[in-house]
Amino acid sequence: MLALARRHSTLLALSAITLVAVVLVRVLKGPDAVAHAWDGSVDLIIGILPSMLAGMLMAGSLRQLVPTGALAKWMGKESSWKGLVIASAVGMATPGGPMAAFPMVLVLSGAGADIGCVISFIVSWGLNGMNRILVWEVPLLGPDFALLRFLSGLPMGFIAGWISRRMPLRWAPPESLPR
Amino acid sequence: MTGRLVLIGLALLCFALALRKGRPTGMRALRETRDNLVRIMPMMLVAMPMATFLAELVPADIASGWLGPESGLTGLLVASFAGGLIPGGPYASFPLVLTFLKAGAGPAQMVALITGWAVLAFHRVVMWEIPVLGGRFALVRTLSSLALPLLAGLIAEALMPLFPHLLAGMR
């Protein structure tokens, strides 16, 4: 029972927040507001479902087409700005949550990527990951806003990597992969 | 609507490309799509009502005032920092952004908020970055990205003339 609750903790937390929100809307704004919000949710779900399915199919297919780990050899210390650009692109192409991306930093640095490149990688994964843009951002916020957001975020991985190369702090990957 | 058709077209194209690499590759793509679906669908079915019900509760003046299109540099800073505080994955942040946009928040401010959520992500630093990569990495990474949300917001502000219907279309 506890294990089940832990595995679905996010879902439970979201449900709890939703429940509280429903009660608050009913108490503070009355039944009409509840009906209004409910209609809004149904429209929203029906509206974004096709885009979301398409986004998932696209992300799942792209992942079969783009190899990532093999690119680490172009991300060394001497890779100048090109390494940062490649690392940013690899970050964008890397799907999955933090459980996939953070260990990927270890894989890349183990294969020779320098601090600037791994920072570019992780920042651009967090900000411009294609998977997230396709599955969440475009369906929910619309292609126009997603494009504005994407363009505004595009240089960020590069900038963060560039700054970190000039920072007087050294980082070496931990000896062993964490369990 | 056209955006949706383009996305569906692109998805089918990518799937066709995967399929061309062989049937097993195509099957792997489908399997990943299904796994994604099973994992995300329950979250989505709860997150969407959460967003619309919260939207009823957000006082209009927070979204359109503090985070409104006219809130300028202060709004961008508030949004950047607030973004870093939002815990959880995209299932939490994007419905929230939708809520704010519908309540009148500025697109550039929301770009700063999403960027803050994505690169500062204080909860992710504690839960993932420090345990997997160590405190030093987290420090270098955080210092390198501290200014990015504001910068992204400023870029978005500068790009806004290219997206004239964003301001009108959200309401």
Side-chain angles (χ1 to χ4, degrees):
Chain A
M1 186 64 204
L2 200 67
L4 195 75
R6 191 170 301 148
R7 186 141 38 94
H8 298 285
S9 55
T10 320
L11 194 59
L12 288 174
L14 288 179
S15 311
I17 296 171
T18 310
L19 210 60
V20 172
V22 173
V23 171
L24 282 177
V25 170
R26 176 69 182 76
V27 173
L28 297 174
K29 305 263 166 125
D32 287 351
V34 174
H36 180 246
W38 176 252
D39 290 346
S41 322
V42 174
D43 288 351
L44 191 59
I45 291 172
I46 294 172
I48 71 167
L49 207 54
S51 314
M52 216 166 195
L53 285 171
M56 286 177 194
L57 180 62
M58 187 162 161
S61 304
L62 274 178
R63 191 162 167 192
Q64 315 304 323
L65 300 171
V66 188
T68 48
L71 295 163
K73 61 171 181 280
W74 288 305
M75 298 184 202
K77 237 193 211 80
E78 312 74 32
S79 61
S80 69
W81 60 272
K82 286 181 207 143
L84 299 181
V85 171
I86 295 173
S88 300
V90 172
M92 281 167 46
T94 301
M99 60 295 270
F102 284 109
M104 190 62 184
V105 167
L106 297 174
V107 173
L108 289 176
S109 70
D114 82 321
I115 180 78
C117 287
V118 293
I119 298 275
S120 287
F121 164 81
I122 201 77
V123 167
S124 111
W125 161 79
L127 189 55
N128 290 325
M130 273 302 144
N131 202 58
R132 202 205 61 213
I133 291 179
L134 292 173
V135 173
W136 289 98
E137 202 161 11
V138 173
L140 206 48
L141 303 178
D144 277 341
F145 180 86
L147 183 63
L148 173 71
R149 221 278 311 142
F150 176 72
L151 291 176
S152 310
L154 204 52
M156 297 307 151
F158 182 87
I159 294 172
W162 188 87
I163 294 175
S164 69
R165 276 183 175 171
R166 272 144 200 83
M167 211 168 268
L169 279 171
R170 293 281 148 259
W171 174 77
E175 287 296 311
S176 59
L177 285 165
R179 273 167 296 152
Chain B
M1 201 60 213
T2 36
R4 180 189 300 173
L5 291 178
V6 170
L7 186 66
I8 294 174
L10 280 175
L12 290 175
L13 180 72
C14 287
F15 179 61
L17 286 175
L19 208 56
R20 248 186 52 163
K21 287 184 85 176
R23 242 182 87 92
T25 316
M27 291 309 287
R28 262 207 307 281
L30 282 183
R31 210 161 35 237
E32 250 171 68
T33 307
R34 188 200 57 200
D35 292 350
N36 239 341
L37 194 67
V38 170
R39 202 166 42 84
I40 290 173
M41 202 49 73
M43 306 261 216
M44 185 193 122
L45 289 178
V46 180
M48 301 301 129
M50 180 185 81
T52 48
F53 278 93
L54 284 179
E56 295 281 334
L57 295 171
V58 175
D61 47 324
I62 289 195
S64 60
W66 276 92
L67 300 170
E70 312 297 327
S71 61
L73 201 60
T74 323
L76 291 179
L77 282 170
V78 171
S80 303
F81 186 70
L85 294 178
I86 300 174
Y91 45 79
S93 56
F94 286 105
L96 210 63
V97 168
L98 183 68
T99 305
F100 281 138
L101 280 173
K102 284 195 163 165
Q109 282 70 19
M110 290 304 99
V111 168
L113 188 115
I114 293 176
T115 312
W117 166 78
V119 306
L120 299 179
F122 304 121
H123 73 283
R124 202 164 62 205
V125 172
V126 176
M127 277 177 56
W128 289 98
E129 201 160 21
I130 295 179
V132 178
L133 300 172
R136 216 180 165 81
F137 181 88
L139 184 68
V140 175
R141 217 265 313 135
T142 305
L143 288 177
S144 307
S145 19
L146 217 48
L148 300 185
L150 179 62
L151 194 58
L154 290 172
I155 295 177
E157 198 90 76
L159 289 175
M160 273 309 282
L162 298 174
F163 295 86
H165 38 294
L166 260 188
L167 272 182
M170 282 300 171
R171 261 152 258 169

PDB file of all heavy atoms in Angstrom, chain A residues 18 34-48, chain B residues 44-53 102:
ATOM      1  N   THR A  18      -5.900  19.312  -6.910  1.00  0.00           N
ATOM      2  CA  THR A  18      -7.118  19.501  -7.700  1.00  0.00           C
ATOM      3  C   THR A  18      -8.354  19.494  -6.819  1.00  0.00           C
ATOM      4  O   THR A  18      -9.234  20.348  -6.934  1.00  0.00           O
ATOM      5  CB  THR A  18      -7.237  18.392  -8.770  1.00  0.00           C
ATOM      6  OG1 THR A  18      -6.002  18.299  -9.472  1.00  0.00           O
ATOM      7  CG2 THR A  18      -8.351  18.686  -9.740  1.00  0.00           C
ATOM      8  N   VAL A  34     -17.852  26.307 -10.668  1.00  0.00           N
ATOM      9  CA  VAL A  34     -17.426  24.905 -10.768  1.00  0.00           C
ATOM     10  C   VAL A  34     -17.788  24.349 -12.145  1.00  0.00           C
ATOM     11  O   VAL A  34     -16.953  23.732 -12.818  1.00  0.00           O
ATOM     12  CB  VAL A  34     -18.084  24.046  -9.660  1.00  0.00           C
ATOM     13  CG1 VAL A  34     -17.744  22.566  -9.865  1.00  0.00           C
ATOM     14  CG2 VAL A  34     -17.612  24.509  -8.286  1.00  0.00           C
ATOM     15  N   ALA A  35     -19.031  24.607 -12.564  1.00  0.00           N
ATOM     16  CA  ALA A  35     -19.465  24.120 -13.871  1.00  0.00           C
ATOM     17  C   ALA A  35     -18.609  24.717 -14.989  1.00  0.00           C
ATOM     18  O   ALA A  35     -18.190  24.021 -15.911  1.00  0.00           O
ATOM     19  CB  ALA A  35     -20.940  24.478 -14.090  1.00  0.00           C
ATOM     20  N   HIS A  36     -18.324  26.003 -14.862  1.00  0.00           N
ATOM     21  CA  HIS A  36     -17.518  26.698 -15.863  1.00  0.00           C
ATOM     22  C   HIS A  36     -16.124  26.078 -15.971  1.00  0.00           C
ATOM     23  O   HIS A  36     -15.634  25.780 -17.060  1.00  0.00           O
ATOM     24  CB  HIS A  36     -17.424  28.182 -15.488  1.00  0.00           C
ATOM     25  CG  HIS A  36     -16.619  28.996 -16.438  1.00  0.00           C
ATOM     26  ND1 HIS A  36     -15.424  29.592 -16.070  1.00  0.00           N
ATOM     27  CD2 HIS A  36     -16.803  29.285 -17.747  1.00  0.00           C
ATOM     28  CE1 HIS A  36     -14.924  30.215 -17.122  1.00  0.00           C
ATOM     29  NE2 HIS A  36     -15.724  30.058 -18.149  1.00  0.00           N
ATOM     30  N   ALA A  37     -15.489  25.860 -14.810  1.00  0.00           N
ATOM     31  CA  ALA A  37     -14.135  25.292 -14.802  1.00  0.00           C
ATOM     32  C   ALA A  37     -14.152  23.856 -15.332  1.00  0.00           C
ATOM     33  O   ALA A  37     -13.250  23.435 -16.044  1.00  0.00           O
ATOM     34  CB  ALA A  37     -13.558  25.333 -13.392  1.00  0.00           C
ATOM     35  N   TRP A  38     -15.220  23.120 -14.981  1.00  0.00           N
ATOM     36  CA  TRP A  38     -15.326  21.733 -15.438  1.00  0.00           C
ATOM     37  C   TRP A  38     -15.420  21.672 -16.964  1.00  0.00           C
ATOM     38  O   TRP A  38     -14.714  20.904 -17.619  1.00  0.00           O
ATOM     39  CB  TRP A  38     -16.513  21.049 -14.778  1.00  0.00           C
ATOM     40  CG  TRP A  38     -16.719  19.658 -15.277  1.00  0.00           C
ATOM     41  CD1 TRP A  38     -17.712  19.211 -16.084  1.00  0.00           C
ATOM     42  CD2 TRP A  38     -15.858  18.528 -15.038  1.00  0.00           C
ATOM     43  NE1 TRP A  38     -17.546  17.887 -16.369  1.00  0.00           N
ATOM     44  CE2 TRP A  38     -16.415  17.435 -15.737  1.00  0.00           C
ATOM     45  CE3 TRP A  38     -14.682  18.342 -14.308  1.00  0.00           C
ATOM     46  CZ2 TRP A  38     -15.829  16.168 -15.737  1.00  0.00           C
ATOM     47  CZ3 TRP A  38     -14.092  17.085 -14.297  1.00  0.00           C
ATOM     48  CH2 TRP A  38     -14.661  16.016 -15.002  1.00  0.00           C
ATOM     49  N   ASP A  39     -16.309  22.535 -17.539  1.00  0.00           N
ATOM     50  CA  ASP A  39     -16.421  22.584 -18.998  1.00  0.00           C
ATOM     51  C   ASP A  39     -15.073  22.932 -19.620  1.00  0.00           C
ATOM     52  O   ASP A  39     -14.686  22.370 -20.639  1.00  0.00           O
ATOM     53  CB  ASP A  39     -17.468  23.627 -19.418  1.00  0.00           C
ATOM     54  CG  ASP A  39     -18.869  23.168 -19.054  1.00  0.00           C
ATOM     55  OD1 ASP A  39     -19.027  21.973 -18.737  1.00  0.00           O
ATOM     56  OD2 ASP A  39     -19.781  24.005 -19.072  1.00  0.00           O
ATOM     57  N   GLY A  40     -14.382  23.878 -18.966  1.00  0.00           N
ATOM     58  CA  GLY A  40     -13.068  24.276 -19.462  1.00  0.00           C
ATOM     59  C   GLY A  40     -12.097  23.104 -19.499  1.00  0.00           C
ATOM     60  O   GLY A  40     -11.371  22.919 -20.478  1.00  0.00           O
ATOM     61  N   SER A  41     -12.103  22.283 -18.441  1.00  0.00           N
ATOM     62  CA  SER A  41     -11.181  21.139 -18.402  1.00  0.00           C
ATOM     63  C   SER A  41     -11.482  20.155 -19.516  1.00  0.00           C
ATOM     64  O   SER A  41     -10.577  19.652 -20.186  1.00  0.00           O
ATOM     65  CB  SER A  41     -11.295  20.364 -17.081  1.00  0.00           C
ATOM     66  OG  SER A  41     -11.478  21.195 -16.016  1.00  0.00           O
ATOM     67  N   VAL A  42     -12.792  19.854 -19.700  1.00  0.00           N
ATOM     68  CA  VAL A  42     -13.170  18.881 -20.726  1.00  0.00           C
ATOM     69  C   VAL A  42     -12.742  19.366 -22.106  1.00  0.00           C
ATOM     70  O   VAL A  42     -12.123  18.627 -22.882  1.00  0.00           O
ATOM     71  CB  VAL A  42     -14.692  18.605 -20.683  1.00  0.00           C
ATOM     72  CG1 VAL A  42     -15.108  17.715 -21.848  1.00  0.00           C
ATOM     73  CG2 VAL A  42     -15.066  17.957 -19.354  1.00  0.00           C
ATOM     74  N   ASP A  43     -13.028  20.668 -22.382  1.00  0.00           N
ATOM     75  CA  ASP A  43     -12.614  21.233 -23.674  1.00  0.00           C
ATOM     76  C   ASP A  43     -11.106  21.127 -23.848  1.00  0.00           C
ATOM     77  O   ASP A  43     -10.617  20.796 -24.925  1.00  0.00           O
ATOM     78  CB  ASP A  43     -13.021  22.710 -23.763  1.00  0.00           C
ATOM     79  CG  ASP A  43     -14.524  22.857 -23.923  1.00  0.00           C
ATOM     80  OD1 ASP A  43     -15.183  21.826 -24.135  1.00  0.00           O
ATOM     81  OD2 ASP A  43     -15.023  23.994 -23.827  1.00  0.00           O
ATOM     82  N   LEU A  44     -10.378  21.447 -22.759  1.00  0.00           N
ATOM     83  CA  LEU A  44      -8.917  21.448 -22.826  1.00  0.00           C
ATOM     84  C   LEU A  44      -8.389  20.061 -23.148  1.00  0.00           C
ATOM     85  O   LEU A  44      -7.550  19.880 -24.032  1.00  0.00           O
ATOM     86  CB  LEU A  44      -8.371  21.933 -21.475  1.00  0.00           C
ATOM     87  CG  LEU A  44      -6.895  22.270 -21.397  1.00  0.00           C
ATOM     88  CD1 LEU A  44      -6.564  23.361 -22.394  1.00  0.00           C
ATOM     89  CD2 LEU A  44      -6.540  22.727 -19.991  1.00  0.00           C
ATOM     90  N   ILE A  45      -8.918  19.063 -22.440  1.00  0.00           N
ATOM     91  CA  ILE A  45      -8.428  17.693 -22.650  1.00  0.00           C
ATOM     92  C   ILE A  45      -8.727  17.224 -24.074  1.00  0.00           C
ATOM     93  O   ILE A  45      -7.857  16.722 -24.773  1.00  0.00           O
ATOM     94  CB  ILE A  45      -9.059  16.736 -21.607  1.00  0.00           C
ATOM     95  CG1 ILE A  45      -8.497  17.055 -20.221  1.00  0.00           C
ATOM     96  CG2 ILE A  45      -8.770  15.290 -21.969  1.00  0.00           C
ATOM     97  CD1 ILE A  45      -9.167  16.322 -19.079  1.00  0.00           C
ATOM     98  N   ILE A  46      -9.982  17.453 -24.506  1.00  0.00           N
ATOM     99  CA  ILE A  46     -10.335  17.043 -25.865  1.00  0.00           C
ATOM    100  C   ILE A  46      -9.500  17.798 -26.881  1.00  0.00           C
ATOM    101  O   ILE A  46      -9.038  17.240 -27.876  1.00  0.00           O
ATOM    102  CB  ILE A  46     -11.848  17.282 -26.123  1.00  0.00           C
ATOM    103  CG1 ILE A  46     -12.666  16.349 -25.224  1.00  0.00           C
ATOM    104  CG2 ILE A  46     -12.194  17.061 -27.585  1.00  0.00           C
ATOM    105  CD1 ILE A  46     -14.146  16.613 -25.250  1.00  0.00           C
ATOM    106  N   GLY A  47      -9.249  19.085 -26.593  1.00  0.00           N
ATOM    107  CA  GLY A  47      -8.511  19.920 -27.526  1.00  0.00           C
ATOM    108  C   GLY A  47      -7.064  19.498 -27.703  1.00  0.00           C
ATOM    109  O   GLY A  47      -6.533  19.527 -28.811  1.00  0.00           O
ATOM    110  N   ILE A  48      -6.395  19.111 -26.596  1.00  0.00           N
ATOM    111  CA  ILE A  48      -4.962  18.858 -26.733  1.00  0.00           C
ATOM    112  C   ILE A  48      -4.644  17.386 -26.970  1.00  0.00           C
ATOM    113  O   ILE A  48      -3.522  17.047 -27.304  1.00  0.00           O
ATOM    114  CB  ILE A  48      -4.151  19.376 -25.534  1.00  0.00           C
ATOM    115  CG1 ILE A  48      -4.395  18.522 -24.302  1.00  0.00           C
ATOM    116  CG2 ILE A  48      -4.412  20.818 -25.256  1.00  0.00           C
ATOM    117  CD1 ILE A  48      -3.381  18.807 -23.224  1.00  0.00           C
TER     118      ILE A  48
ATOM    119  N   MET B  44      -2.023  13.810 -16.936  1.00  0.00           N
ATOM    120  CA  MET B  44      -2.687  14.828 -17.724  1.00  0.00           C
ATOM    121  C   MET B  44      -4.155  14.952 -17.329  1.00  0.00           C
ATOM    122  O   MET B  44      -4.671  16.051 -17.170  1.00  0.00           O
ATOM    123  CB  MET B  44      -2.572  14.443 -19.192  1.00  0.00           C
ATOM    124  CG  MET B  44      -3.114  15.493 -20.106  1.00  0.00           C
ATOM    125  SD  MET B  44      -3.285  14.820 -21.746  1.00  0.00           S
ATOM    126  CE  MET B  44      -5.005  15.086 -22.026  1.00  0.00           C
ATOM    127  N   LEU B  45      -4.804  13.801 -17.113  1.00  0.00           N
ATOM    128  CA  LEU B  45      -6.227  13.839 -16.793  1.00  0.00           C
ATOM    129  C   LEU B  45      -6.483  14.530 -15.453  1.00  0.00           C
ATOM    130  O   LEU B  45      -7.564  15.037 -15.206  1.00  0.00           O
ATOM    131  CB  LEU B  45      -6.808  12.414 -16.768  1.00  0.00           C
ATOM    132  CG  LEU B  45      -6.910  11.771 -18.150  1.00  0.00           C
ATOM    133  CD1 LEU B  45      -7.434  10.345 -18.050  1.00  0.00           C
ATOM    134  CD2 LEU B  45      -7.806  12.594 -19.072  1.00  0.00           C
ATOM    135  N   VAL B  46      -5.480  14.551 -14.583  1.00  0.00           N
ATOM    136  CA  VAL B  46      -5.636  15.265 -13.311  1.00  0.00           C
ATOM    137  C   VAL B  46      -5.136  16.699 -13.424  1.00  0.00           C
ATOM    138  O   VAL B  46      -5.704  17.622 -12.840  1.00  0.00           O
ATOM    139  CB  VAL B  46      -4.877  14.530 -12.181  1.00  0.00           C
ATOM    140  CG1 VAL B  46      -5.056  15.273 -10.876  1.00  0.00           C
ATOM    141  CG2 VAL B  46      -5.393  13.111 -12.043  1.00  0.00           C
ATOM    142  N   ALA B  47      -4.068  16.895 -14.212  1.00  0.00           N
ATOM    143  CA  ALA B  47      -3.445  18.221 -14.287  1.00  0.00           C
ATOM    144  C   ALA B  47      -4.320  19.248 -15.005  1.00  0.00           C
ATOM    145  O   ALA B  47      -4.320  20.420 -14.639  1.00  0.00           O
ATOM    146  CB  ALA B  47      -2.087  18.136 -14.973  1.00  0.00           C
ATOM    147  N   MET B  48      -5.087  18.797 -16.011  1.00  0.00           N
ATOM    148  CA  MET B  48      -5.910  19.755 -16.756  1.00  0.00           C
ATOM    149  C   MET B  48      -7.021  20.349 -15.880  1.00  0.00           C
ATOM    150  O   MET B  48      -7.160  21.558 -15.808  1.00  0.00           O
ATOM    151  CB  MET B  48      -6.523  19.116 -18.007  1.00  0.00           C
ATOM    152  CG  MET B  48      -5.528  18.555 -18.982  1.00  0.00           C
ATOM    153  SD  MET B  48      -4.379  19.773 -19.602  1.00  0.00           S
ATOM    154  CE  MET B  48      -2.853  18.919 -19.289  1.00  0.00           C
ATOM    155  N   PRO B  49      -7.811  19.501 -15.163  1.00  0.00           N
ATOM    156  CA  PRO B  49      -8.782  20.094 -14.239  1.00  0.00           C
ATOM    157  C   PRO B  49      -8.093  20.955 -13.175  1.00  0.00           C
ATOM    158  O   PRO B  49      -8.605  22.016 -12.811  1.00  0.00           O
ATOM    159  CB  PRO B  49      -9.453  18.874 -13.583  1.00  0.00           C
ATOM    160  CG  PRO B  49      -9.246  17.761 -14.534  1.00  0.00           C
ATOM    161  CD  PRO B  49      -7.954  18.042 -15.241  1.00  0.00           C
ATOM    162  N   MET B  50      -6.920  20.530 -12.720  1.00  0.00           N
ATOM    163  CA  MET B  50      -6.204  21.336 -11.733  1.00  0.00           C
ATOM    164  C   MET B  50      -5.976  22.740 -12.283  1.00  0.00           C
ATOM    165  O   MET B  50      -6.238  23.729 -11.596  1.00  0.00           O
ATOM    166  CB  MET B  50      -4.866  20.680 -11.390  1.00  0.00           C
ATOM    167  CG  MET B  50      -4.067  21.460 -10.371  1.00  0.00           C
ATOM    168  SD  MET B  50      -2.416  20.734 -10.085  1.00  0.00           S
ATOM    169  CE  MET B  50      -1.514  21.388 -11.477  1.00  0.00           C
ATOM    170  N   ALA B  51      -5.500  22.807 -13.544  1.00  0.00           N
ATOM    171  CA  ALA B  51      -5.200  24.111 -14.133  1.00  0.00           C
ATOM    172  C   ALA B  51      -6.450  24.973 -14.252  1.00  0.00           C
ATOM    173  O   ALA B  51      -6.441  26.150 -13.882  1.00  0.00           O
ATOM    174  CB  ALA B  51      -4.554  23.938 -15.503  1.00  0.00           C
ATOM    175  N   THR B  52      -7.546  24.383 -14.745  1.00  0.00           N
ATOM    176  CA  THR B  52      -8.725  25.221 -14.960  1.00  0.00           C
ATOM    177  C   THR B  52      -9.363  25.661 -13.639  1.00  0.00           C
ATOM    178  O   THR B  52      -9.852  26.772 -13.534  1.00  0.00           O
ATOM    179  CB  THR B  52      -9.781  24.515 -15.840  1.00  0.00           C
ATOM    180  OG1 THR B  52      -9.988  23.195 -15.345  1.00  0.00           O
ATOM    181  CG2 THR B  52      -9.315  24.434 -17.276  1.00  0.00           C
ATOM    182  N   PHE B  53      -9.327  24.759 -12.636  1.00  0.00           N
ATOM    183  CA  PHE B  53      -9.905  25.165 -11.351  1.00  0.00           C
ATOM    184  C   PHE B  53      -9.029  26.198 -10.643  1.00  0.00           C
ATOM    185  O   PHE B  53      -9.531  27.142 -10.049  1.00  0.00           O
ATOM    186  CB  PHE B  53     -10.158  23.948 -10.452  1.00  0.00           C
ATOM    187  CG  PHE B  53     -11.443  23.247 -10.787  1.00  0.00           C
ATOM    188  CD1 PHE B  53     -11.475  22.184 -11.668  1.00  0.00           C
ATOM    189  CD2 PHE B  53     -12.639  23.688 -10.228  1.00  0.00           C
ATOM    190  CE1 PHE B  53     -12.664  21.560 -11.999  1.00  0.00           C
ATOM    191  CE2 PHE B  53     -13.842  23.068 -10.544  1.00  0.00           C
ATOM    192  CZ  PHE B  53     -13.856  21.990 -11.438  1.00  0.00           C
ATOM    193  N   LYS B 102      -3.981  32.657 -19.373  1.00  0.00           N
ATOM    194  CA  LYS B 102      -5.411  32.925 -19.532  1.00  0.00           C
ATOM    195  C   LYS B 102      -5.863  34.050 -18.623  1.00  0.00           C
ATOM    196  O   LYS B 102      -6.820  34.756 -18.915  1.00  0.00           O
ATOM    197  CB  LYS B 102      -6.218  31.663 -19.240  1.00  0.00           C
ATOM    198  CG  LYS B 102      -6.140  30.676 -20.380  1.00  0.00           C
ATOM    199  CD  LYS B 102      -7.204  29.611 -20.243  1.00  0.00           C
ATOM    200  CE  LYS B 102      -7.383  28.891 -21.565  1.00  0.00           C
ATOM    201  NZ  LYS B 102      -8.118  27.655 -21.437  1.00  0.00           N
TER     202      LYS B 102
END
